[in-house]
Amino acid sequence: MDRDASFQAFVDAHQRSLMRLAYLLTGEVHLAEDLIQSVLVRMIGRQALRSAPIPPGWT
C-alpha cells in the first residue's frame, strides 16, 4: 500500500470519530470540519518529511 492510500485508509477509518471529537472541542460543525482539515493537512506534510531521504552530510 502506498503512502497516499494508507493515509486515505486512515482518514476513512477514523473520520467519524475525529469529527465527533472536533465537534466536542469546538461546539460548531463548520469549525470542527476546519479543525479536522487543518490537522490532516499537517499530518500529511509531516508524513512526507519523514519519508524524504536524508540529505548527504546530515547523518
Side-chain angles (χ1 to χ4, degrees):
M1 183 180 290
D2 70 352
R3 186 179 50 168
D4 292 337
S6 65
F7 187 76
Q8 184 63 48
F10 169 81
V11 172
D12 291 343
H14 297 17
Q15 186 172 7
R16 292 186 73 185
S17 60
L18 290 171
M19 184 61 185
R20 282 193 302 266
L21 176 60
Y23 181 78
L24 286 172
L25 292 171
T26 63
E28 294 184 32
V29 173
H30 296 293
L31 288 176
E33 291 169 342
D34 289 344
L35 177 60
I36 292 170
Q37 181 178 359
S38 296
V39 169
L40 293 175
V41 166
R42 289 183 71 186
M43 284 178 65
I44 196 76
R46 290 185 180 185
Q47 185 179 8
L49 286 175
R50 283 193 196 117
S51 62
I54 299 173
W58 283 30
T59 56

